[in-house]
């Protein structure tokens, strides 16, 4: 059953907004007033037909809350939510959209409007594919492209090379539709592509196989330089936390290096 707007959304929104700026502060940015941000958010969709929204409805809200990004920190993910965020370390190592104020506030929330009072539908919202122009895309598409347009220096992309149901590079992903096209060839010097392979699963796609060659062509055609690596050590080590005994995870157990 499709759920409606997240109960208590105003408290969650304001609490996340305050906590992000007062406590979490992953990197220096200009302060935003949380109450006026809430007003900009609700104005975007309240009282409106949920399937009629476009990214324009969210422009003011998104542009007020996204500030500039530090060089070399932007990270994109596609099918790799968990390991990308483990690796990013809440903005300390890399900054994903979910480590920005906007993404931090909105991640996981459900919301939609209705023309009848009270203007917000707490009973049911359209499913992901339930609208002609997905309501989801009106917000997350705009948020993703605005985030990507702020990236500078080296950017990092984590793709899933092990999912039998989803190719690593899908032309209908948010990454392919909104993020890659918004990277500035003037501001972005290098795209580091990491292909993640699940532990003890076959390598379905690698830098040289499957959809990766097409992705590298797309990156090049956009005027960007790139590198591609299959399961870099740092990523493998993160994945190995959950299967330390597996053969590909047995490392550095040969001796005692303490003296
Ligand atoms: O069929 C779907 C579906 N496809 C994507 N998503 C879907 N949700 C459904 N219910 N049904 C949503 O997009 C879902 O919230 C996923 O977690 C999210 C990402 O899909 P994925 O893993 O296939 O990767 P994408 O390339 O499409 O989008 C990820 C990139 C990443 O670099 C973020 O900066 O785009 C940005 N992003 C997009 C959409 C949503 C982030 C979010 C988010 N935080 O919710």
């Amino acid at each position: 059953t499709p759920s409606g707007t997240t109960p208590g959304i105003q408290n969650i929104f304001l609490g996340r907004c305050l906590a992000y700026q007062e406590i979490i502060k992953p990197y220096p940015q200009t302060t935003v007033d949380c109450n006026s941000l809430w007003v900009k958010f609700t104005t975007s969709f309240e009282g409106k037909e949920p399937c009629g929204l476009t990214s324009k409805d969210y422009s003011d809200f998104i542009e007020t809350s996204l500030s500039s990004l530090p060089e070399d920190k932007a990270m994109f993910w596609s099918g790799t939510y968990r390991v990308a965020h483990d690796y990013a370390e809440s903005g300390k190592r890399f900054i994903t959209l979910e480590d920005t104020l906007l993404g931090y506030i909105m991640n996981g929330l459900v919301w939609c409007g209705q023309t009848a009072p009270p203007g917000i539908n707490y009973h049911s919202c359209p499913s992901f594919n339930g609208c002609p122009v997905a309501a989801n895309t009106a917000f997350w598409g705009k948020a993703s492209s605005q985030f990507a347009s702020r990236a500078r220096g080296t950017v990092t992309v984590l793709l899933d090379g092990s999912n039998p149901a989803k190719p690593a590079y899908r032309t209908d992903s948010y990454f392919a539709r909104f993020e890659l096209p918004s990277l500035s060839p003037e501001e972005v010097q290098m795209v580091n592509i990491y292909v993640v392979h699940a532990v003890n699963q076959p390598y379905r796609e690698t830098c040289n196989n499957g959809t990766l060659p097409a992705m590298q062509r797309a990156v090049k055609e956009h005027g960007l330089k790139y590198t591609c690596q299959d399961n870099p050590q740092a990523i493998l080590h993160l994945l190995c936390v959950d299967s330390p005994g597996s053969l590909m995870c047995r490392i550095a157990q040969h001796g005692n290096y303490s003296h």
Side-chain angles (χ1 to χ4, degrees):
T1 50
S3 43
T5 299
T6 306
I9 191 167
Q10 183 171 5
N11 289 327
I12 297 171
F13 185 108
L14 292 173
R16 283 180 173 182
C17 181
L18 291 167
Y20 184 91
Q21 299 190 93
E22 295 296 338
I23 302 163
I24 300 166
K25 305 179 207 172
Y27 55 97
Q29 40 196 314
T30 48
T31 310
V32 174
D33 180 74
C34 292
N35 288 305
S36 54
L37 201 59
W38 168 255
V39 173
K40 284 182 195 290
F41 169 58
T42 54
T43 307
S44 309
F45 71 97
E46 204 176 275
K48 298 179 186 175
E49 193 56 60
C51 291
L53 289 182
T54 70
S55 61
K56 259 192 111 184
D57 292 292
Y58 289 108
S59 296
D60 190 25
F61 169 51
I62 289 173
E63 273 148 36
T64 321
S65 51
L66 271 178
S67 65
S68 66
L69 289 171
E71 208 170 343
D72 302 334
K73 292 288 193 179
M75 172 175 279
F76 306 97
W77 51 272
S78 203
T80 52
Y81 184 91
R82 185 174 169 182
V83 72
H85 290 94
D86 284 353
Y87 192 31
E89 194 76 43
S90 308
K92 290 192 278 292
R93 188 173 290 114
F94 290 106
I95 298 169
T96 66
L97 174 57
E98 296 71 34
D99 301 309
T100 66
L101 174 67
L102 177 68
Y104 182 81
I105 293 173
M106 302 305 289
N107 200 21
L109 294 181
V110 175
W111 70 92
C112 66
Q114 59 183 30
T115 47
I120 297 181
N121 190 335
Y122 287 96
H123 183 69
S124 85
C125 288
S127 67
F128 190 81
N129 295 311
C131 285
V133 178
N136 224 294
T137 307
F139 174 75
W140 285 109
K142 175 91 179 177
S144 299
S145 62
Q146 288 293 309
F147 170 64
S149 72
R150 285 162 170 76
R152 303 182 292 126
T154 298
V155 306
T156 308
V157 187
L158 263 66
L159 301 175
D160 182 357
S162 293
N163 188 344
K166 272 189 179 183
Y169 177 69
R170 286 175 296 122
T171 49
D172 65 346
S173 68
Y174 280 98
F175 174 73
R177 289 172 66 203
F178 299 101
E179 295 183 319
L180 179 54
S182 305
L183 293 176
S184 158
E186 287 76 41
E187 298 289 339
V188 174
Q189 267 78 55
M190 186 63 72
V191 179
N192 287 340
I193 306 163
Y194 295 161
V195 184
V196 178
H197 298 286
V199 175
N200 293 335
Q201 301 287 309
Y203 277 32
R204 298 189 65 91
E205 296 188 53
T206 67
C207 288
N208 301 318
N209 281 299
T211 54
L212 269 302
M215 153 140 187
Q216 291 164 56
R217 274 196 303 277
V219 170
K220 212 171 147 183
E221 270 161 29
H222 191 60
L224 298 164
K225 291 201 180 81
Y226 65 87
T227 66
C228 185
Q229 263 184 281
D230 288 299
N231 239 15
Q233 293 276 300
I235 304 280
L236 176 63
H237 293 167
L238 279 173
L239 298 174
C240 282
V241 166
D242 291 322
S243 10
S246 80
L247 204 57
M248 53 191 289
C249 293
R250 292 198 200 171
I251 45 168
Q253 296 192 334
H254 313 294
N256 181 339
Y257 297 100
S258 63
H259 46 162

